[in-house]
Amino acid sequence: YSADNMIDGDYSTAWADGVSGTGVGETITIHFDEKKLVNGIDIVNGYTKDWETYYKNGKVSSVKLYFGNDRFFDYDLSYIDEGDDVSESGDIAEKCLSKITCNEPISTDQITITITGAVAGTKYDDTCISEISVY
């Protein structure tokens, strides 16, 4: 459940926080070789290998994004609970995608994502993210 799984382009793999509890307070830092303009971040929330795996594992409910230069943003991420009224056919990753769009492009050489809220799965309390992409 390595961090590399969040950037491998494979929605059937995931990063898991690896700590006791739901992972609130854990951070993920994305480093760039040089400053770049960031317009947004896409997060495929949860372990989207299949619906059974998704429900059994934890999901992020909220994050704080830090772009440097005292630029913080708080976001609530969407996730699906087992009892929610959703079709379990089609692309699970698409249904679990949170698109975070910046109001204006931000120049930065790193982004730190702090988990500020999470929900445990039906079997495990580890928190998972299948993919993160920055654009």
Side-chain angles (χ1 to χ4, degrees), residues 94-123:
E94 185 177 301
K95 292 179 183 194
C96 300
L97 172 65
S98 290
K99 295 181 87 48
I100 301 169
T101 304
C102 302
N103 292 336
E104 60 185 44
I106 298 172
S107 178
T108 187
D109 61 357
Q110 74 177 33
I111 301 167
T112 299
I113 302 167
T114 302
I115 299 172
T116 56
V119 294
T122 59
K123 185 170 183 178

PDB file of all heavy atoms in Angstrom, residues 94-123:
ATOM      1  N   GLU A  94     -14.527   6.675 -11.210  1.00  0.00           N
ATOM      2  CA  GLU A  94     -15.212   7.899 -11.622  1.00  0.00           C
ATOM      3  C   GLU A  94     -16.214   8.335 -10.565  1.00  0.00           C
ATOM      4  O   GLU A  94     -16.371   9.518 -10.287  1.00  0.00           O
ATOM      5  CB  GLU A  94     -15.914   7.665 -12.956  1.00  0.00           C
ATOM      6  CG  GLU A  94     -16.558   8.896 -13.538  1.00  0.00           C
ATOM      7  CD  GLU A  94     -17.165   8.603 -14.886  1.00  0.00           C
ATOM      8  OE1 GLU A  94     -16.414   8.177 -15.784  1.00  0.00           O
ATOM      9  OE2 GLU A  94     -18.382   8.799 -15.036  1.00  0.00           O
ATOM     10  N   LYS A  95     -16.885   7.396  -9.930  1.00  0.00           N
ATOM     11  CA  LYS A  95     -17.886   7.713  -8.907  1.00  0.00           C
ATOM     12  C   LYS A  95     -17.230   8.180  -7.611  1.00  0.00           C
ATOM     13  O   LYS A  95     -17.869   8.814  -6.779  1.00  0.00           O
ATOM     14  CB  LYS A  95     -18.769   6.502  -8.641  1.00  0.00           C
ATOM     15  CG  LYS A  95     -19.640   6.171  -9.828  1.00  0.00           C
ATOM     16  CD  LYS A  95     -20.483   4.962  -9.574  1.00  0.00           C
ATOM     17  CE  LYS A  95     -21.273   4.678 -10.849  1.00  0.00           C
ATOM     18  NZ  LYS A  95     -22.336   3.749 -10.659  1.00  0.00           N
ATOM     19  N   CYS A  96     -15.955   7.857  -7.425  1.00  0.00           N
ATOM     20  CA  CYS A  96     -15.244   8.200  -6.189  1.00  0.00           C
ATOM     21  C   CYS A  96     -14.243   9.334  -6.390  1.00  0.00           C
ATOM     22  O   CYS A  96     -13.387   9.572  -5.541  1.00  0.00           O
ATOM     23  CB  CYS A  96     -14.522   6.959  -5.665  1.00  0.00           C
ATOM     24  SG  CYS A  96     -15.661   5.601  -5.314  1.00  0.00           S
ATOM     25  N   LEU A  97     -14.356  10.035  -7.495  1.00  0.00           N
ATOM     26  CA  LEU A  97     -13.429  11.117  -7.839  1.00  0.00           C
ATOM     27  C   LEU A  97     -13.875  12.430  -7.221  1.00  0.00           C
ATOM     28  O   LEU A  97     -15.033  12.825  -7.345  1.00  0.00           O
ATOM     29  CB  LEU A  97     -13.365  11.276  -9.362  1.00  0.00           C
ATOM     30  CG  LEU A  97     -12.589  12.477  -9.895  1.00  0.00           C
ATOM     31  CD1 LEU A  97     -11.110  12.371  -9.553  1.00  0.00           C
ATOM     32  CD2 LEU A  97     -12.778  12.589 -11.402  1.00  0.00           C
ATOM     33  N   SER A  98     -12.952  13.090  -6.536  1.00  0.00           N
ATOM     34  CA  SER A  98     -13.154  14.454  -6.051  1.00  0.00           C
ATOM     35  C   SER A  98     -12.242  15.362  -6.857  1.00  0.00           C
ATOM     36  O   SER A  98     -11.027  15.152  -6.902  1.00  0.00           O
ATOM     37  CB  SER A  98     -12.809  14.579  -4.562  1.00  0.00           C
ATOM     38  OG  SER A  98     -13.752  13.920  -3.770  1.00  0.00           O
ATOM     39  N   LYS A  99     -12.838  16.360  -7.505  1.00  0.00           N
ATOM     40  CA  LYS A  99     -12.078  17.329  -8.288  1.00  0.00           C
ATOM     41  C   LYS A  99     -11.968  18.613  -7.469  1.00  0.00           C
ATOM     42  O   LYS A  99     -12.982  19.224  -7.158  1.00  0.00           O
ATOM     43  CB  LYS A  99     -12.753  17.610  -9.623  1.00  0.00           C
ATOM     44  CG  LYS A  99     -12.786  16.393 -10.542  1.00  0.00           C
ATOM     45  CD  LYS A  99     -13.431  16.690 -11.866  1.00  0.00           C
ATOM     46  CE  LYS A  99     -12.510  17.232 -12.904  1.00  0.00           C
ATOM     47  NZ  LYS A  99     -11.252  16.598 -13.143  1.00  0.00           N
ATOM     48  N   ILE A 100     -10.757  18.975  -7.104  1.00  0.00           N
ATOM     49  CA  ILE A 100     -10.510  20.195  -6.342  1.00  0.00           C
ATOM     50  C   ILE A 100      -9.903  21.208  -7.303  1.00  0.00           C
ATOM     51  O   ILE A 100      -8.802  21.001  -7.808  1.00  0.00           O
ATOM     52  CB  ILE A 100      -9.558  19.929  -5.164  1.00  0.00           C
ATOM     53  CG1 ILE A 100     -10.158  18.875  -4.234  1.00  0.00           C
ATOM     54  CG2 ILE A 100      -9.244  21.217  -4.426  1.00  0.00           C
ATOM     55  CD1 ILE A 100      -9.203  18.353  -3.186  1.00  0.00           C
ATOM     56  N   THR A 101     -10.640  22.277  -7.572  1.00  0.00           N
ATOM     57  CA  THR A 101     -10.182  23.293  -8.518  1.00  0.00           C
ATOM     58  C   THR A 101      -9.801  24.557  -7.759  1.00  0.00           C
ATOM     59  O   THR A 101     -10.577  25.046  -6.931  1.00  0.00           O
ATOM     60  CB  THR A 101     -11.290  23.617  -9.540  1.00  0.00           C
ATOM     61  OG1 THR A 101     -11.690  22.397 -10.179  1.00  0.00           O
ATOM     62  CG2 THR A 101     -10.797  24.599 -10.584  1.00  0.00           C
ATOM     63  N   CYS A 102      -8.616  25.070  -8.030  1.00  0.00           N
ATOM     64  CA  CYS A 102      -8.161  26.313  -7.404  1.00  0.00           C
ATOM     65  C   CYS A 102      -8.891  27.494  -8.046  1.00  0.00           C
ATOM     66  O   CYS A 102      -9.180  27.467  -9.248  1.00  0.00           O
ATOM     67  CB  CYS A 102      -6.655  26.478  -7.589  1.00  0.00           C
ATOM     68  SG  CYS A 102      -5.689  25.105  -6.911  1.00  0.00           S
ATOM     69  N   ASN A 103      -9.182  28.510  -7.244  1.00  0.00           N
ATOM     70  CA  ASN A 103      -9.825  29.721  -7.780  1.00  0.00           C
ATOM     71  C   ASN A 103      -8.949  30.416  -8.804  1.00  0.00           C
ATOM     72  O   ASN A 103      -9.443  31.030  -9.735  1.00  0.00           O
ATOM     73  CB  ASN A 103     -10.186  30.693  -6.659  1.00  0.00           C
ATOM     74  CG  ASN A 103     -11.283  30.162  -5.767  1.00  0.00           C
ATOM     75  OD1 ASN A 103     -12.076  29.331  -6.179  1.00  0.00           O
ATOM     76  ND2 ASN A 103     -11.322  30.639  -4.534  1.00  0.00           N
ATOM     77  N   GLU A 104      -7.650  30.320  -8.609  1.00  0.00           N
ATOM     78  CA  GLU A 104      -6.661  30.861  -9.549  1.00  0.00           C
ATOM     79  C   GLU A 104      -5.439  29.957  -9.485  1.00  0.00           C
ATOM     80  O   GLU A 104      -5.219  29.286  -8.476  1.00  0.00           O
ATOM     81  CB  GLU A 104      -6.291  32.297  -9.180  1.00  0.00           C
ATOM     82  CG  GLU A 104      -5.695  32.430  -7.795  1.00  0.00           C
ATOM     83  CD  GLU A 104      -5.441  33.868  -7.376  1.00  0.00           C
ATOM     84  OE1 GLU A 104      -6.316  34.713  -7.597  1.00  0.00           O
ATOM     85  OE2 GLU A 104      -4.357  34.122  -6.835  1.00  0.00           O
ATOM     86  N   PRO A 105      -4.639  29.900 -10.546  1.00  0.00           N
ATOM     87  CA  PRO A 105      -3.445  29.040 -10.523  1.00  0.00           C
ATOM     88  C   PRO A 105      -2.504  29.433  -9.384  1.00  0.00           C
ATOM     89  O   PRO A 105      -2.358  30.616  -9.070  1.00  0.00           O
ATOM     90  CB  PRO A 105      -2.786  29.298 -11.878  1.00  0.00           C
ATOM     91  CG  PRO A 105      -3.887  29.810 -12.744  1.00  0.00           C
ATOM     92  CD  PRO A 105      -4.801  30.581 -11.831  1.00  0.00           C
ATOM     93  N   ILE A 106      -1.903  28.431  -8.759  1.00  0.00           N
ATOM     94  CA  ILE A 106      -0.985  28.649  -7.641  1.00  0.00           C
ATOM     95  C   ILE A 106       0.392  28.147  -8.048  1.00  0.00           C
ATOM     96  O   ILE A 106       0.542  27.004  -8.469  1.00  0.00           O
ATOM     97  CB  ILE A 106      -1.470  27.903  -6.386  1.00  0.00           C
ATOM     98  CG1 ILE A 106      -2.846  28.439  -5.957  1.00  0.00           C
ATOM     99  CG2 ILE A 106      -0.453  28.026  -5.265  1.00  0.00           C
ATOM    100  CD1 ILE A 106      -3.484  27.640  -4.855  1.00  0.00           C
ATOM    101  N   SER A 107       1.395  28.998  -7.906  1.00  0.00           N
ATOM    102  CA  SER A 107       2.774  28.630  -8.211  1.00  0.00           C
ATOM    103  C   SER A 107       3.388  27.994  -6.960  1.00  0.00           C
ATOM    104  O   SER A 107       3.435  28.620  -5.892  1.00  0.00           O
ATOM    105  CB  SER A 107       3.569  29.865  -8.626  1.00  0.00           C
ATOM    106  OG  SER A 107       4.916  29.514  -8.866  1.00  0.00           O
ATOM    107  N   THR A 108       3.850  26.749  -7.095  1.00  0.00           N
ATOM    108  CA  THR A 108       4.424  26.043  -5.948  1.00  0.00           C
ATOM    109  C   THR A 108       5.356  24.937  -6.414  1.00  0.00           C
ATOM    110  O   THR A 108       5.258  24.482  -7.558  1.00  0.00           O
ATOM    111  CB  THR A 108       3.307  25.458  -5.049  1.00  0.00           C
ATOM    112  OG1 THR A 108       3.904  24.935  -3.863  1.00  0.00           O
ATOM    113  CG2 THR A 108       2.527  24.370  -5.765  1.00  0.00           C
ATOM    114  N   ASP A 109       6.250  24.509  -5.523  1.00  0.00           N
ATOM    115  CA  ASP A 109       7.103  23.363  -5.833  1.00  0.00           C
ATOM    116  C   ASP A 109       6.729  22.146  -4.982  1.00  0.00           C
ATOM    117  O   ASP A 109       7.351  21.105  -5.081  1.00  0.00           O
ATOM    118  CB  ASP A 109       8.580  23.704  -5.681  1.00  0.00           C
ATOM    119  CG  ASP A 109       8.961  24.130  -4.281  1.00  0.00           C
ATOM    120  OD1 ASP A 109       8.079  24.234  -3.405  1.00  0.00           O
ATOM    121  OD2 ASP A 109      10.163  24.367  -4.050  1.00  0.00           O
ATOM    122  N   GLN A 110       5.687  22.292  -4.153  1.00  0.00           N
ATOM    123  CA  GLN A 110       5.185  21.135  -3.421  1.00  0.00           C
ATOM    124  C   GLN A 110       3.789  21.413  -2.885  1.00  0.00           C
ATOM    125  O   GLN A 110       3.394  22.554  -2.701  1.00  0.00           O
ATOM    126  CB  GLN A 110       6.110  20.724  -2.286  1.00  0.00           C
ATOM    127  CG  GLN A 110       6.091  21.614  -1.069  1.00  0.00           C
ATOM    128  CD  GLN A 110       6.994  21.067   0.029  1.00  0.00           C
ATOM    129  OE1 GLN A 110       8.011  20.455  -0.242  1.00  0.00           O
ATOM    130  NE2 GLN A 110       6.620  21.284   1.271  1.00  0.00           N
ATOM    131  N   ILE A 111       3.068  20.334  -2.660  1.00  0.00           N
ATOM    132  CA  ILE A 111       1.734  20.391  -2.072  1.00  0.00           C
ATOM    133  C   ILE A 111       1.710  19.361  -0.949  1.00  0.00           C
ATOM    134  O   ILE A 111       2.099  18.211  -1.145  1.00  0.00           O
ATOM    135  CB  ILE A 111       0.642  20.027  -3.099  1.00  0.00           C
ATOM    136  CG1 ILE A 111       0.690  20.974  -4.301  1.00  0.00           C
ATOM    137  CG2 ILE A 111      -0.741  20.050  -2.441  1.00  0.00           C
ATOM    138  CD1 ILE A 111      -0.142  20.480  -5.485  1.00  0.00           C
ATOM    139  N   THR A 112       1.268  19.779   0.222  1.00  0.00           N
ATOM    140  CA  THR A 112       1.101  18.857   1.329  1.00  0.00           C
ATOM    141  C   THR A 112      -0.388  18.700   1.592  1.00  0.00           C
ATOM    142  O   THR A 112      -1.109  19.679   1.759  1.00  0.00           O
ATOM    143  CB  THR A 112       1.817  19.350   2.602  1.00  0.00           C
ATOM    144  OG1 THR A 112       3.216  19.450   2.312  1.00  0.00           O
ATOM    145  CG2 THR A 112       1.614  18.395   3.763  1.00  0.00           C
ATOM    146  N   ILE A 113      -0.826  17.447   1.601  1.00  0.00           N
ATOM    147  CA  ILE A 113      -2.222  17.112   1.859  1.00  0.00           C
ATOM    148  C   ILE A 113      -2.281  16.484   3.247  1.00  0.00           C
ATOM    149  O   ILE A 113      -1.631  15.471   3.497  1.00  0.00           O
ATOM    150  CB  ILE A 113      -2.747  16.108   0.812  1.00  0.00           C
ATOM    151  CG1 ILE A 113      -2.602  16.680  -0.601  1.00  0.00           C
ATOM    152  CG2 ILE A 113      -4.190  15.723   1.117  1.00  0.00           C
ATOM    153  CD1 ILE A 113      -2.807  15.650  -1.705  1.00  0.00           C
ATOM    154  N   THR A 114      -3.038  17.107   4.144  1.00  0.00           N
ATOM    155  CA  THR A 114      -3.221  16.568   5.492  1.00  0.00           C
ATOM    156  C   THR A 114      -4.645  16.040   5.615  1.00  0.00           C
ATOM    157  O   THR A 114      -5.598  16.751   5.283  1.00  0.00           O
ATOM    158  CB  THR A 114      -2.979  17.657   6.558  1.00  0.00           C
ATOM    159  OG1 THR A 114      -1.656  18.165   6.402  1.00  0.00           O
ATOM    160  CG2 THR A 114      -3.142  17.094   7.966  1.00  0.00           C
ATOM    161  N   ILE A 115      -4.772  14.819   6.066  1.00  0.00           N
ATOM    162  CA  ILE A 115      -6.091  14.232   6.282  1.00  0.00           C
ATOM    163  C   ILE A 115      -6.667  14.827   7.558  1.00  0.00           C
ATOM    164  O   ILE A 115      -6.107  14.646   8.640  1.00  0.00           O
ATOM    165  CB  ILE A 115      -6.016  12.697   6.376  1.00  0.00           C
ATOM    166  CG1 ILE A 115      -5.465  12.104   5.066  1.00  0.00           C
ATOM    167  CG2 ILE A 115      -7.383  12.110   6.719  1.00  0.00           C
ATOM    168  CD1 ILE A 115      -5.176  10.613   5.134  1.00  0.00           C
ATOM    169  N   THR A 116      -7.773  15.552   7.431  1.00  0.00           N
ATOM    170  CA  THR A 116      -8.412  16.171   8.595  1.00  0.00           C
ATOM    171  C   THR A 116      -9.692  15.444   9.005  1.00  0.00           C
ATOM    172  O   THR A 116     -10.235  15.704  10.068  1.00  0.00           O
ATOM    173  CB  THR A 116      -8.710  17.656   8.329  1.00  0.00           C
ATOM    174  OG1 THR A 116      -9.505  17.774   7.147  1.00  0.00           O
ATOM    175  CG2 THR A 116      -7.419  18.451   8.150  1.00  0.00           C
ATOM    176  N   GLY A 117     -10.171  14.558   8.157  1.00  0.00           N
ATOM    177  CA  GLY A 117     -11.349  13.757   8.480  1.00  0.00           C
ATOM    178  C   GLY A 117     -11.321  12.479   7.673  1.00  0.00           C
ATOM    179  O   GLY A 117     -10.853  12.463   6.531  1.00  0.00           O
ATOM    180  N   ALA A 118     -11.796  11.394   8.276  1.00  0.00           N
ATOM    181  CA  ALA A 118     -11.826  10.099   7.586  1.00  0.00           C
ATOM    182  C   ALA A 118     -12.910   9.238   8.210  1.00  0.00           C
ATOM    183  O   ALA A 118     -13.301   9.442   9.361  1.00  0.00           O
ATOM    184  CB  ALA A 118     -10.471   9.402   7.688  1.00  0.00           C
ATOM    185  N   VAL A 119     -13.388   8.282   7.417  1.00  0.00           N
ATOM    186  CA  VAL A 119     -14.378   7.325   7.909  1.00  0.00           C
ATOM    187  C   VAL A 119     -13.818   5.915   7.738  1.00  0.00           C
ATOM    188  O   VAL A 119     -13.200   5.599   6.727  1.00  0.00           O
ATOM    189  CB  VAL A 119     -15.736   7.458   7.167  1.00  0.00           C
ATOM    190  CG1 VAL A 119     -16.376   8.793   7.471  1.00  0.00           C
ATOM    191  CG2 VAL A 119     -15.580   7.281   5.679  1.00  0.00           C
ATOM    192  N   ALA A 120     -14.022   5.101   8.748  1.00  0.00           N
ATOM    193  CA  ALA A 120     -13.549   3.717   8.697  1.00  0.00           C
ATOM    194  C   ALA A 120     -14.396   2.916   7.724  1.00  0.00           C
ATOM    195  O   ALA A 120     -15.551   3.248   7.462  1.00  0.00           O
ATOM    196  CB  ALA A 120     -13.617   3.090  10.089  1.00  0.00           C
ATOM    197  N   GLY A 121     -13.806   1.880   7.179  1.00  0.00           N
ATOM    198  CA  GLY A 121     -14.552   0.959   6.332  1.00  0.00           C
ATOM    199  C   GLY A 121     -15.350  -0.013   7.179  1.00  0.00           C
ATOM    200  O   GLY A 121     -15.278   0.006   8.413  1.00  0.00           O
ATOM    201  N   THR A 122     -16.091  -0.885   6.518  1.00  0.00           N
ATOM    202  CA  THR A 122     -16.901  -1.863   7.244  1.00  0.00           C
ATOM    203  C   THR A 122     -16.048  -2.944   7.902  1.00  0.00           C
ATOM    204  O   THR A 122     -16.493  -3.588   8.838  1.00  0.00           O
ATOM    205  CB  THR A 122     -17.929  -2.523   6.306  1.00  0.00           C
ATOM    206  OG1 THR A 122     -17.230  -3.167   5.232  1.00  0.00           O
ATOM    207  CG2 THR A 122     -18.908  -1.512   5.750  1.00  0.00           C
ATOM    208  N   LYS A 123     -14.814  -3.133   7.434  1.00  0.00           N
ATOM    209  CA  LYS A 123     -13.931  -4.144   8.022  1.00  0.00           C
ATOM    210  C   LYS A 123     -12.638  -3.544   8.565  1.00  0.00           C
ATOM    211  O   LYS A 123     -12.126  -3.981   9.586  1.00  0.00           O
ATOM    212  CB  LYS A 123     -13.611  -5.222   6.983  1.00  0.00           C
ATOM    213  CG  LYS A 123     -12.797  -6.370   7.542  1.00  0.00           C
ATOM    214  CD  LYS A 123     -12.692  -7.531   6.592  1.00  0.00           C
ATOM    215  CE  LYS A 123     -11.925  -8.680   7.222  1.00  0.00           C
ATOM    216  NZ  LYS A 123     -11.848  -9.830   6.350  1.00  0.00           N
TER     217      LYS A 123
END
